[in-house]
Amino acid sequence: DQQVKQNSPSLSVQEGRISILNCDYTNSMFDYFLWYKKYPAEGPTFLISISSIKDKNEDGRFTVFLNKSAKHLSLHIVPSQPGDSAVYFCAASARLSSGSARQLTFGSGTQLTVLP
Amino acid sequence: NAGVTQTPKFRVLKTGQSMTLLCAQDMNHEYMYWYRQDPGMGLRLIHYSVGEGTTAKGEVPDGYNVSRLKKQNFLLGLESAAPSQTSVYFCASKRLIETEAFFGQGTRLTVV
């Protein structure tokens, strides 16, 4: 059973418009959420994160929103640029029961295509 | 500063063969992880390590073994490769007090 779900495998938007990528989670123990961006033949790179004590975090064109009651987070990119075309992974972090170890659980990813 | 480096980048194995994937990080990170990425499945955790000499199982550990004899290196072994282990493997590392993990460029493994 997937604890982190990205229900949209792909998304296409026009350059300059807003891209909204969604992510849902089921585990209430998750207390930190991250978005990673991945280009073909490269490893994922960290994009932006949010703690569960916040509902919004902004970094330039990227904003992440967290709705804890709905167990939902979203990544907004505005304005979208062709260079943003990549796979975006949502990840959630929880402290493991064994000591202080933390584990990242990833969603299945959303392929974003920004059309020029 | 190289970050996280994986060796090799590509490999083709025959069923039953063994191999070791090497992950090296130069950031003095305490935690290291091995993930596999399969279509529609995202990244799934195979094994992880919270420090030199310690390892633990992740979500999909069967068929793999790991070792962390040195803090900077995390090895992933396949003793008897199976076609189901065809995947892209990613290594990651992070500091103890941070949540962000840094990833290597991946190893594409095909088992025929």
Side-chain angles (χ1 to χ4, degrees), chain A residues 37-45, chain B residues 2-11 21-25 27 33-35 37 43 87-93 101-109:
Chain A
K37 178 178 180 180
K38 185 183 178 304
Y39 292 116
E42 295 183 9
T45 55
Chain B
V4 180
T5 303
Q6 292 181 229
T7 309
K9 292 184 173 59
F10 304 94
R11 185 71 185 269
L21 282 67
L22 171 64
C23 177
Q25 54 96 2
M27 297 173 282
Y33 307 84
W34 275 107
Y35 289 88
Q37 184 195 6
L43 286 85
S87 187
V88 181
Y89 292 85
F90 289 100
C91 175
S93 71
F102 295 83
F103 283 81
Q105 78 280 18
T107 296
R108 183 173 293 277
L109 175 65

Side-chain angles (χ1 to χ4, degrees), chain A residues 74-87:
Chain A
S74 61
L75 174 68
H76 293 211
I77 306 173
V78 56
S80 301
Q81 299 174 353
D84 295 329
S85 296
V87 176

